[in-house]
Amino acid sequence: MPAGGNWAFCRLPRSSGADMRPRGAPLLAVVLVLGLHALVEGEKPSPCRCSRLTPHNRKNCGFPGITSDQCFDLGCCFDSSVAGVPWCFHPLPNQASEQCVMEVSARKDCGYPGISPEECASRQCCFSNLIFEVPWCFFPQSVEDCHY
């Protein structure tokens, strides 16, 4: 601060409390409501994402007494044919092709360690490197066996 400097103080205009509200709050509320609605109104997963999951690997997605329609509305799979396991369950992860949707234990190696996605595709195989210690390049499966 320079010696002998003059300081000017100004008074800010007084405003009502309503002006001090965050201006984006109503927009944020709308976005949150729409986002929650989108979560509740899920998309029915593809048949392969449901039928290729073995019953003992199912992770519960519903509640006791859930109907198939309610389950599908959550974006989950429904299968009540096996007792003692969840009937409403999370689907397998989505893949670029339905032929590539399968549990990792079902993968049959179609490549070699370090294969590139391009080389794998040239062999007309599936590629996913998200899980270590399983084949990343693997043979596709027919979708004819997929069902709800």
Side-chain angles (χ1 to χ4, degrees):
M1 173 165 104
N6 292 330
W7 287 93
F9 292 96
C10 66
R11 177 170 256 157
L12 293 174
R14 209 172 181 120
S15 64
S16 70
D19 293 336
M20 299 303 288
R21 286 187 321 210
R23 289 187 179 6
L27 177 61
L28 178 60
V30 169
V31 170
L32 286 174
V33 167
L34 290 174
L36 289 173
H37 186 273
L39 287 175
V40 172
E41 294 288 330
E43 235 180 76
K44 188 176 186 178
S46 71
C48 290
R49 292 179 65 201
C50 295
S51 65
R52 289 190 176 165
L53 183 62
T54 55
H56 72 274
N57 285 335
R58 293 178 181 178
K59 302 291 183 236
N60 196 7
C61 185
F63 50 86
I66 192 170
T67 67
S68 60
D69 288 340
Q70 290 170 323
C71 184
F72 288 136
D73 284 347
L74 293 172
C76 296
C77 303
F78 188 88
D79 177 8
S80 60
S81 67
V82 182
V85 296
W87 289 357
C88 181
F89 53 95
H90 292 279
L92 286 168
N94 207 7
Q95 296 288 336
S97 166
E98 280 295 286
Q99 295 175 326
C100 300
V101 173
M102 65 187 80
E103 291 188 70
V104 293
S105 61
R107 292 181 181 181
K108 304 289 184 237
D109 203 348
C110 183
Y112 51 86
I115 191 170
S116 71
E118 295 79 19
E119 175 64 22
C120 183
S122 75
R123 296 171 179 227
Q124 298 179 338
C125 290
C126 304
F127 185 88
S128 177
N129 61 356
L130 300 177
I131 302 172
F132 293 107
E133 299 178 7
V134 298
W136 289 358
C137 182
F138 49 97
F139 288 100
Q141 292 182 348
S142 170
V143 296
E144 291 179 17
D145 66 338
C146 296
H147 60 278
Y148 285 111

